[in-house]
Each structure stands twice: as C-alpha cells, then as structure tokens.
C-alpha cells in the first residue's frame, strides 16, 4: 500500500497539472542548488518550478490525464507549472538554459496539447502577450482610420471644390455678395369689370313687339 505521504504528493502534482495552463518538463542534472533557486526566481511571475520524483510524477500525470510526458520521465526531473503567461515562462526557461546548458528542456504541455522541446523554444520566440495585443489594437485602429478617411473623402473633396470656387469668384470680382432670392412676380393687374348688362331702353322707345298700352283718343259722341 502506498504511503500516505506519497499519495498526498501524487494528488498535489496531479492538481498542479489540472490547474496550470501548461507545464514544461526539464532535466537539471549538473545545476547547483543556488542555480535552481536563481531559476525559480527568474520565472516565478509566470511559473512554479518544482523538483519531482519520476515515479510519483508519472502516477500524477496519469491521474490528471496527461500523456505529454510519457517516456520522458528519466534522470533528475523538475517541472515548471505555468501559472501566468506561457510565452514568458518558456522564454525564461530558454534563456536560463542558454546561460546554463546543464538545464535541458525535454517536453512541454500547453492547454492539453503536447509540445516537443523545439516547440517550447518556438513558443519562447513569440512576442509577449502585451506586445501582440498592442499590435492588434494598432491594426484595428489603423483599419478604422482608413475606413473613416474613405467615408469622409467625398465630403472633404466637395468642401475643397466649393472653397476653390469661392476664391475664384473673389479674385475675379471681389467678394461675392450672397445671392438674393428672386423677387416674387407681381400678379397681373386685375382687369376692369366689363359691364355685361344691356343698356337700358330709352323711356320713349317701346320695346319691339310690345302692344301699345297708350289709351285711344276719346271720340266725340255721335249726334243722334
């Protein structure tokens, strides 16, 4: 039966595999305690560097479902569990390995994907996250500025054309007075009303065809 201490260690390493963004497997043969301490301090903002036992680490990896380190757990082993920026963690390990060749990067794990030693070094060559975000923001800003310029071009062109026309008018005949609105056309004078009534008949002119209403002259009585 495994000792309780080993069971606890396996559980702790397994939890680190689960909670970390990634991990880098290294061999530290030939490094001094002071150098390992220096390495821990150089990457502690982005990773935790832990010296582990191979058998216990193999059990922990199996519990956590990690297969990236299968067949790699040999020799003096330490694992950098990534807790911050994976690029910065990989860069710190790579730079330290360049200065101290006794540190050997053997394999890696990033968000469940297995990485070879070369892929870990390629990860280290990427620009920091802040730089990439700044470049992305700059590209988006440039695209937005180009779009604004594109939409504003017709308007600015029209403004320049109007301004050039104004300057030409001023040069030829002084400042152009603002155009006055054309005066409204006056309505034509009203024609005098035409008297369509027929002229009144003269009093002494009887209308044609009317019977003579004058009484006949009185005749003298006939003598009997």
């Amino acid at each position: 039966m495994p000792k309780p201490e080993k069971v606890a260690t396996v559980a702790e390493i397994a939890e680190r595999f689960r909670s970390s963004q990634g991990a880098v497997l290294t061999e530290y043969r030939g490094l001094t305690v002071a150098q390992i301490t220096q390495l821990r301090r150089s990457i502690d903002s982005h990773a935790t560097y832990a010296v582990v036992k191979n058998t216990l680490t193999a059990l922990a990896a199996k519990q956590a479902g990690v297969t990236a380190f299968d067949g790699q757990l040999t020799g003096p082993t330490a694992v950098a569990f990534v807790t911050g920026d994976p690029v910065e963690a990989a860069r710190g390990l790579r730079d330290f390995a360049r200065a101290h060749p006794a540190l050997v990067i053997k394999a890696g794990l990033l968000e469940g994907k297995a990485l070879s030693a070369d892929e870990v070094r390629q990860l280290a060559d990427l620009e920091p996250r802040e730089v990439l975000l700044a470049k992305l923001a700059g590209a988006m800003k440039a695209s937005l500025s180009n779009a604004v310029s594109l939409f504003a071009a017709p308007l600015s062109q029209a403004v320049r054309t109007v301004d050039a026309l104004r300057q030409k008018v001023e040069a030829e005949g002084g400042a152009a007075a603002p155009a006055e609105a054309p005066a409204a056309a006056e309505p034509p004078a009203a024609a005098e009303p035409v008297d369509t009534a027929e002229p009144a008949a003269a009093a002494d002119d009887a209308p044609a065809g009317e019977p003579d209403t004058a009484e006949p002259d009185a005749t003298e009585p006939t003598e009997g």
Side-chain angles (χ1 to χ4, degrees):
M1 178 178 290
K3 293 182 180 180
E5 295 82 359
K6 291 184 178 181
V7 172
T9 300
V10 169
E12 180 184 353
I13 297 173
E15 179 57 31
R16 286 194 178 189
F17 275 125
R18 296 189 191 98
S19 61
S20 300
Q21 296 185 52
V24 178
L25 180 67
T26 68
E27 182 177 320
Y28 64 91
R29 189 190 305 273
L31 290 180
T32 66
V33 173
Q35 288 171 335
I36 293 176
T37 301
Q38 179 185 353
L39 173 56
R40 282 181 174 141
R41 289 174 179 171
S42 67
I43 64 172
D44 64 356
S45 296
H46 305 286
T48 300
Y49 194 70
V51 174
V52 296
K53 290 187 177 181
N54 293 328
T55 54
L56 301 182
T57 303
L59 291 172
K62 185 176 181 180
Q63 284 188 12
V66 174
T67 60
F69 301 155
D70 289 356
Q72 301 275 8
L73 293 166
T74 59
T77 300
V79 179
F81 294 99
V82 179
T83 57
D85 188 340
V87 173
E88 291 296 336
R91 181 178 291 113
L93 291 167
R94 182 205 61 189
D95 292 348
F96 192 89
R98 285 176 176 175
H100 304 84
L103 178 69
V104 178
I105 296 174
K106 301 177 71 174
L109 175 70
L110 180 61
E111 295 182 351
K113 181 181 181 299
L115 303 177
S116 66
D118 286 339
E119 288 173 329
V120 173
R121 285 185 281 269
Q122 290 172 8
L123 179 64
D125 289 334
L126 294 178
E127 291 180 317
R129 179 174 178 272
E130 291 76 11
V131 175
L132 293 175
L133 288 176
K135 286 187 175 181
L136 177 61
M140 293 176 65
K141 182 178 180 182
S143 298
L144 181 60
S145 298
N146 291 339
V148 170
S149 300
L150 180 63
F151 290 126
L155 178 59
S156 61
Q157 186 73 21
V159 170
R160 287 194 295 271
T161 301
V162 172
D163 188 60
L165 180 60
R166 179 186 59 79
Q167 292 180 11
K168 183 175 182 300
V169 171
E170 290 179 354
E172 290 179 353
E180 294 182 359
E186 294 183 1
E192 294 183 0
V194 178
D195 188 1
T196 57
E198 294 184 1
D204 54 352
D205 293 334
E210 279 192 17
D212 190 359
T213 57
E215 294 181 1
D217 294 335
T219 60
E220 292 181 357
T222 303
E223 291 182 358

